Amino acid sequence: MKVNPDLAYERRGAGINSEEFAVYWNGGNDKLREKRWRENYYLRDGYEEKFTVPDSYLSHKELYERGVERTVHRFQKYRDLLASGRYGNGNFYDNMLLMVESEVTSPLSPVTTHLSMFVPTILGQGTPEQQEKWAEKAANCNIIGTYAQTELGHGTFVRGIGTRADYDPQTREFVLNTPSLAAYKFWPGGMGLTGNYAVVIAQLYTQGKCHGVQSFIVQLRDEDTHMPLPGVIVGEIGPKLGMNCVNQGFLAFKNVRIPRGNMLMKNAQVLEDGTFVKSPMSVLTYGTMVYVRVLIVEDASNNLAKAATIATRYSAVRRQSPIDPSEKEPQIIDHVTQQYKIFPQIAKSVIFKMSAKALLEMYQQVLQDLDTGKFDSLADLHALSCCLKALISQETSQGIEICRLSCGGHGYLQCSGFPTLYGYTTAAATYEGEHVILLLQTARFLMKAAKNPDMSATVEYLKRFPDRSFLATWDGSIGGIVEAFEAVAAAKIRTAAQSIDRRLGEGKKSGQASNESSIELVAAADAHCRAFILRAGHEAMQKISGKVSPALASVLRDLLELYAVDAAQKALGDLLRFTTISEANVEQLQKRLEGVLSRLRPNAVALVDGFDFPDEVLRSALGAFDGNVYEHIYEDAMKSPLNQEPVNATFHKYLKPFMKAGKSKL
């Protein structure tokens, strides 16, 4: 491979080993080795060479059809792999996730929702008998499902969903109906033309009462002909800002009957006579959403790492705007303003992943607790998954856009990879919970914590800052910055709680008091989340000594330093209000920022190399490993169908007659 000399120079001059960072980032040598083996097996088999026209030039219909073809090809390779015995007798679904994690199946695939939500819902909410009936078939893709929750008229507010499931004790069936256009299911991935089953979230009615939303397995299409079943209205919703291969759809029902056993009954049940047995905790019904939010947080860190990889490599290759007019044009990565755009995104990628790991560990612990009948930590997990999903998806979308802008006009090209990345990532700000609504859900938990700080370790800091007027001592250390952010969070939580109490004292109802205080509630949840992210990063960095070389440990600590200092500068108003930070401290923050940017500069390319995204996954002319940016941009341009003939038919049909008609008066 001929590598751009500037990029090669950056790699030779790095003070860390990118391979060591790749091992750390991917969770160990074995996981990295397995990831690379899968990428080679699935992505370098020559299959993609048949597609001479890039995806970006395809119509909406063509893109979907190619996506299905590509998905089937790779899933068949996976079945071949299983047949070879490589994975022994391991769980099919768990092994398939290995393929998904390394993006062998693109997150933009029409079967993404099948893997990420349909199968996990069956495993998480189905009884052992229901799992035996559907889980293996679903994991083996003998049936392909989706998760039908969001409707045209209701999304995040799940309790407002309109789809009905009325139990008929005479036939022991549920009758599904969509009472209005607003109750049409809308947005589920793969529902348009791909899936033939769905987990449908509907309001349960039995014995004349509504028992809230429950989950039902519903067959949508015939397994042989794929035609919609009687009473099922299903289709595709059309092009979007991004994710146009995911095949999102709409769905409605007219008197569709399903057996009683199709209601997932691990938590709540309907007996044969129609008696409803409620779940020990209603939030268990939303278990799939919590799980998906955990995945979104880690997914977001990976997407931001991709954007940072593209921007960093491009910045090492692009030369422009002399710093000294008497010298040649430098690599734009030498401009401090460019470093300030990109390096914080590298830092966020790492710190966000540490937060994702902390959230995943909490999720796994909660699952163990649930199996033993303990529900104490479920509310905390739900609150934390809400705010982390909301904040990190927002920060990631903004970070990708910053990286795109750092690449100038070329970042606007589809082949840069940024449009696809941004279109995919920004969707996370709304799916599985809209940003503000999720923060308000976290805030409800925090209002309870304000009255009882002992309810969770994540709000322990409320006991250290018992009063809103308490000023945290600013010492500038990383631990001190964490403490300062927790002081800000404690103050904002108490401010919001006092705001609600004041309005209640004025005679306003609880909902009205919360609505009028909602700006403060969102601010409290945001502050709580930022404090958690900082603490998770700080605690993770304290454990790296001895696990990596001193050189890499130093660079990782620099990334934490950059994240913390950058966060502090952006929160100066709050810090001035709730800590003892001074003007001199603020000036020192600026010096620290400039210092850490300078220290990271020699290792920037090595760091993004360590994210270990192969070109087949990164899909970027600007971020390719060889750094031959201009060649890749030109090659992509020449693949345009418009460049396959020197003169387009529209010239003779429209332009020439128009240009030849009429006489110039000049």
Side-chain angles (χ1 to χ4, degrees):
M1 179 188 295
K2 180 182 178 183
V3 177
N4 178 283
D6 284 331
L7 204 53
Y9 175 81
E10 293 291 327
R11 288 170 177 146
R12 288 195 302 271
I16 62 169
N17 186 318
S18 61
E19 183 70 7
E20 183 189 7
F21 180 55
V23 171
Y24 173 81
W25 175 258
N26 286 280
N29 268 307
D30 291 344
K31 289 184 177 180
L32 177 61
R33 191 181 306 110
E34 174 65 20
K35 179 187 85 78
R36 288 174 173 172
W37 187 92
R38 292 193 307 270
E39 289 166 350
N40 187 65
Y41 175 74
Y42 290 107
L43 302 178
R44 299 183 181 121
D45 61 353
Y47 176 78
E48 291 291 323
E49 294 175 8
K50 64 183 286 187
F51 301 128
T52 56
V53 177
D55 290 1
S56 57
Y57 292 110
L58 301 181
S59 69
H60 184 61
K61 180 174 180 288
E62 291 169 333
L63 183 62
Y64 167 68
E65 291 169 349
R66 179 178 290 183
V68 172
E69 180 186 352
R70 180 182 282 135
T71 297
V72 169
H73 169 75
R74 290 178 182 165
F75 272 45
Q76 185 55 53
K77 291 197 70 171
Y78 183 71
R79 286 178 174 173
D80 294 343
L81 201 59
L82 283 182
S84 73
R86 176 178 172 83
Y87 292 122
N89 297 319
N91 178 279
F92 189 101
Y93 179 67
D94 289 343
N95 287 331
M96 185 174 284
L97 285 181
L98 294 175
M99 182 172 68
V100 176
E101 286 171 4
S102 60
E103 297 192 44
V104 167
T105 61
S106 166
L108 308 181
S109 163
V111 300
T112 296
T113 306
H114 169 77
L115 294 171
S116 64
M117 300 191 73
F118 182 72
V119 179
T121 302
I122 294 172
L123 296 175
Q125 298 186 34
T127 63
E129 294 77 16
Q130 290 174 322
Q131 291 183 35
E132 184 178 357
K133 181 176 181 180
W134 285 300
E136 184 175 352
K137 288 196 295 185
N140 195 39
C141 292
N142 299 129
I143 61 174
I144 295 177
T146 185
Y147 186 83
Q149 176 173 290
T150 299
E151 298 176 350
L152 269 171
H154 282 93
T156 305
F157 184 60
V158 179
R159 285 181 293 159
I161 280 173
T163 304
R164 290 180 62 122
D166 291 81
Y167 183 66
D168 181 353
Q170 300 300 319
T171 61
R172 298 176 185 172
E173 294 174 318
F174 294 101
V175 185
L176 274 69
N177 276 287
T178 303
S180 67
L181 181 61
Y184 270 54
K185 298 297 182 185
F186 208 85
W187 285 108
M191 193 165 71
L193 294 166
T194 311
N196 56 0
Y197 280 77
V199 169
V200 175
I201 309 302
Q203 300 285 359
L204 168 65
Y205 285 81
T206 180
Q207 296 181 337
K209 292 183 180 179
C210 177
H211 296 282
V213 295
Q214 302 297 332
S215 304
F216 303 84
I217 299 264
V218 184
Q219 184 175 354
L220 307 181
R221 295 175 178 271
D222 184 274
E223 290 189 23
D224 291 321
T225 67
H226 208 56
M227 287 294 293
L229 295 181
V232 175
I233 303 167
V234 63
E236 206 254 0
I237 68 173
K240 306 164 292 290
L241 176 65
M243 302 177 70
N244 283 307
C245 191
V246 174
N247 190 225
Q248 282 138 325
F250 62 81
L251 173 67
F253 302 104
K254 289 185 178 180
N255 296 318
V256 174
R257 288 180 171 268
I258 60 173
R260 183 182 70 91
N262 282 37
M263 173 179 158
L264 294 176
M265 297 195 194
K266 179 180 180 180
N267 301 312
Q269 294 95 35
V270 171
L271 305 183
E272 289 187 358
D273 65 355
T275 300
F276 177 70
V277 181
K278 67 178 183 180
S279 167
M281 287 193 72
S282 60
V283 73
L284 292 174
T285 306
Y286 308 131
T288 300
M289 286 190 296
V290 174
Y291 170 71
V292 172
R293 287 168 189 158
V294 172
L295 296 182
I296 288 171
V297 173
E298 182 167 17
D299 197 36
S301 72
N302 284 327
N303 287 328
L304 186 54
K306 288 179 188 176
T309 299
I310 296 169
T312 301
R313 288 176 177 168
Y314 177 81
S315 298
V317 169
R318 179 78 166 183
R319 287 182 172 271
Q320 193 164 291
S321 303
I323 297 172
D324 185 333
S326 64
E327 297 180 358
K328 68 176 183 177
E329 290 184 312
Q331 299 161 280
I332 60 174
I333 199 172
D334 287 334
H335 292 275
V336 175
T337 50
Q338 186 77 349
Q339 296 168 16
Y340 186 47
K341 291 176 187 176
I342 300 170
F343 294 179
Q345 313 317 320
I346 299 176
K348 287 179 182 179
S349 301
V350 174
I351 303 304
F352 288 170
K353 187 154 189 174
M354 292 173 175
S355 300
K357 183 179 180 182
L359 181 62
L360 180 60
E361 290 172 352
M362 179 183 291
Y363 176 78
Q364 292 168 338
Q365 182 60 53
V366 167
L367 288 183
Q368 293 179 21
D369 292 344
L370 291 178
D371 288 340
T372 59
K374 298 178 182 177
F375 306 110
D376 297 346
S377 53
L378 188 57
D380 193 7
L381 170 67
H382 179 256
L384 197 57
S385 70
C386 284
C387 67
L388 281 172
K389 183 270 180 186
L391 183 63
I392 289 180
S393 62
Q394 181 191 51
E395 293 264 326
T396 298
S397 295
Q398 293 172 347
I400 291 172
E401 175 66 356
I402 290 170
C403 288
R404 183 189 72 80
L405 291 170
S406 75
C407 294
H410 292 328
Y412 196 67
L413 287 168
Q414 187 75 39
C415 69
S416 72
F418 288 121
T420 300
L421 259 181
Y422 182 78
Y424 172 55
T425 306
T426 194
T430 46
Y431 68 65
E432 302 317 309
E434 189 272 338
H435 175 83
V436 171
I437 301 301
L438 287 188
L439 290 177
L440 287 171
Q441 289 185 24
T442 301
R444 281 196 287 273
F445 170 82
L446 295 176
M447 293 305 96
K448 296 176 183 177
K451 294 179 172 59
N452 178 21
D454 291 319
M455 65 187 294
S456 167
T458 62
V459 291
E460 181 274 337
Y461 58 82
L462 285 168
K463 293 187 288 187
R464 287 184 276 117
F465 305 105
D467 185 81
R468 188 180 69 175
S469 62
F470 186 91
L471 296 181
T473 301
W474 177 268
D475 69 9
S477 66
I478 300 299
I481 295 177
V482 174
E483 189 87 353
F485 269 72
E486 290 178 339
V488 169
K492 290 196 171 188
I493 291 169
R494 298 192 190 285
T495 297
Q498 290 168 8
S499 176
I500 291 175
D501 289 343
R502 183 176 68 254
R503 289 178 165 88
L504 291 174
E506 295 169 354
K508 295 176 179 175
K509 294 182 179 180
S510 176
Q512 185 180 6
S514 294
N515 182 47
E516 293 179 4
S517 304
S518 58
I519 295 175
E520 291 161 306
L521 287 168
V522 167
D526 182 278
H528 170 70
C529 190
R530 293 183 188 278
F532 177 85
I533 292 171
L534 255 177
R535 181 163 290 282
H538 180 49
E539 290 179 352
M541 289 302 184
Q542 289 179 313
K543 299 174 183 177
I544 63 171
S545 295
K547 296 181 179 179
V548 298
S549 67
L552 180 56
S554 177
V555 170
L556 289 173
R557 292 191 186 100
D558 278 342
L559 290 175
L560 175 62
E561 168 95 357
L562 175 56
Y563 180 81
V565 169
D566 184 49
Q569 284 197 318
K570 289 179 169 62
L572 281 179
D574 290 332
L575 295 176
L576 288 166
R577 185 180 177 191
F578 299 118
T579 77
T580 61
I581 192 171
S582 66
E583 175 65 23
N585 298 142
V586 174
E587 293 176 358
Q588 185 60 32
L589 281 175
Q590 180 62 29
K591 292 179 181 177
R592 289 171 67 182
L593 174 70
E594 294 166 2
V596 74
L597 291 176
S598 177
R599 294 197 301 276
L600 286 170
R601 165 64 184 88
N603 295 303
V605 169
L607 279 168
V608 299
D609 282 353
F611 288 143
D612 203 54
F613 297 116
D615 289 349
E616 294 86 352
V617 167
L618 205 57
R619 304 180 186 93
S620 170
L622 276 59
F625 186 83
D626 63 15
N628 296 316
V629 172
Y630 305 136
E631 292 86 346
H632 291 311
I633 291 175
Y634 182 73
E635 288 168 6
D636 191 84
M638 292 307 296
K639 291 176 182 177
S640 169
L642 291 175
N643 283 327
Q644 304 314 305
E645 53 186 6
V647 178
N648 186 265
T650 57
F651 173 76
H652 294 289
K653 190 172 183 179
Y654 300 112
L655 280 176
K656 183 178 179 180
F658 173 74
M659 295 165 70
K660 296 293 184 180
K663 299 178 180 179
S664 173
K665 295 182 180 180
L666 296 179

